[in-house]
Amino acid sequence: MMNDDLKAAVLRRCRRMEIPLVGVASTDRWENPPFLPWMPEEFYPQSIFPEARSVIVIGLPVHLPVLETSPSNYYHELYKTVNTLLDQYTYRLASFLNDEGYPSVFVPRDGYESIEVLQKNPVAFFSHRHAALLAGLGTFGVNNTLLTPEYGPRVRFGSVLTAAVLPADPLFPEDLCTRCMRCVRACPAGALDERDYPEGLTDKAACTDNSARLARRHISPCGICIGVCPVGEDRRHYGRPAASPGERDRRRRVREHVQKYGGL
């Protein structure tokens, strides 16, 4: 039986924690994927937490003006802050569900220890972006990230695996990617191509090697492909769709100033 009251309680807690994006997917959606090829069964929620019947996915935005300074210590610190909040919020949600009598666990936002580990084994044990897709929060873009209507790809996701049977949210009904190819052209590692996901996959080795170079300078991650994406209401909020030449020059000066400090 679906637990509508419990889902409403989860959503209220998310609102109190100021979490703007929340979606729920039933675990059977991994067994009936929306496209092929799909991930192996070992990456399904049930393979990680056999009691899982639902997956709650939360999303926190990456603020566009900070991202526009990337690669920089400014974006590096924002990235760490968002990651920390994701782990804290998903842990708290899992603890709430446990207290309500539903076995639950949080999944860490990355699932790997360092860039060096990722270079040798470039796969995490769970994909939050696929979970966000199945929870109805958005659709994949050419840059292999999940695009949302609110923030485009400028979102980080975290997940809770729970034994509670919660009403699932519908899949997002339309494709958000515009195929503008700005991400492909802007990628400093040349890690993207023009094919749609999943046919066009990120060159993980090239992307990770670029991140490793930035990490040695203490200004990782890169983030350029999500910064140039035109999708997202946040662009309108920050006045980014049609900036004047003077405004573009001010942004350039901000970026140049920030990049001088905090890294090597």
Side-chain angles (χ1 to χ4, degrees), residues 241-257:
S244 66
E247 177 61 26
R248 287 194 296 270
D249 186 56
R250 281 191 291 273
R251 291 182 208 159
R252 178 184 57 79
R253 293 199 303 270
V254 168
R255 183 175 64 254
E256 291 174 351
H257 168 69

Side-chain angles (χ1 to χ4, degrees), residues 36-51:
L36 295 173
W38 190 244
M39 69 186 72
E41 186 176 348
E42 64 179 309
F43 296 98
Y44 291 8
Q46 310 92 306
S47 299
I48 298 165
F49 184 58
E51 295 85 352

Side-chain angles (χ1 to χ4, degrees), residues 47-249:
S47 299
I48 298 165
F49 184 58
E51 295 85 352
R53 296 296 177 268
S54 302
V55 179
I56 303 166
V57 185
I58 66 170
L60 298 179
V62 174
H63 298 156
L64 178 58
V66 180
L67 179 59
E68 287 175 337
T69 69
S70 179
S72 68
N73 175 261
Y74 197 4
Y75 176 48
H76 173 76
E77 292 297 329
L78 173 62
Y79 186 86
K80 290 195 302 181
T81 298
V82 173
N83 280 351
T84 299
L85 288 172
L86 284 170
D87 284 351
Q88 291 177 349
Y89 291 162
T90 51
Y91 175 83
R92 291 171 64 181
L93 287 173
S95 296
F96 164 72
L97 290 164
N98 283 321
D99 290 344
E100 293 295 311
Y102 300 94
S104 305
V105 296
F106 91 111
V107 182
R109 80 283 172 180
D110 283 333
Y112 56 88
E113 186 61 28
S114 66
I115 290 294
E116 291 75 20
V117 170
L118 200 59
Q119 284 179 299
K120 296 178 181 179
N121 186 17
V123 179
F125 69 84
F126 184 76
S127 173
H128 296 292
R129 62 195 177 111
H130 286 84
L133 170 78
L134 296 178
L137 294 178
T139 61
F140 278 107
V142 170
N143 61 3
N144 287 205
T145 66
L146 195 87
L147 310 186
T148 66
E150 298 87 353
Y151 308 106
R154 293 168 290 278
V155 186
R156 298 281 292 159
F157 296 106
S159 304
V160 174
L161 313 183
T162 179
V165 181
L166 301 174
D169 292 301
L171 298 180
F172 197 80
E174 61 188 83
D175 191 354
L176 291 169
C177 184
T178 67
R179 275 74 178 177
C180 67
M181 302 305 160
R182 294 180 192 176
C183 58
V184 176
R185 294 192 296 270
C187 178
L192 300 172
D193 65 41
E194 296 186 357
R195 292 174 295 170
D196 291 340
Y197 183 87
E199 287 78 18
L201 294 173
T202 300
D203 184 336
K204 292 181 180 179
C207 182
T208 306
D209 287 347
N210 181 57
S211 291
R213 287 190 292 270
L214 295 177
R216 289 191 289 271
R217 298 171 55 199
H218 306 283
I219 54 172
S220 65
C222 172
I224 288 175
C225 69
I226 66 173
V228 299
C229 180
V231 178
E233 287 297 313
D234 60 334
R235 301 201 76 89
R236 184 174 66 176
H237 173 73
Y238 286 112
R240 287 338 195 223
S244 66
E247 177 61 26
R248 287 194 296 270
D249 186 56

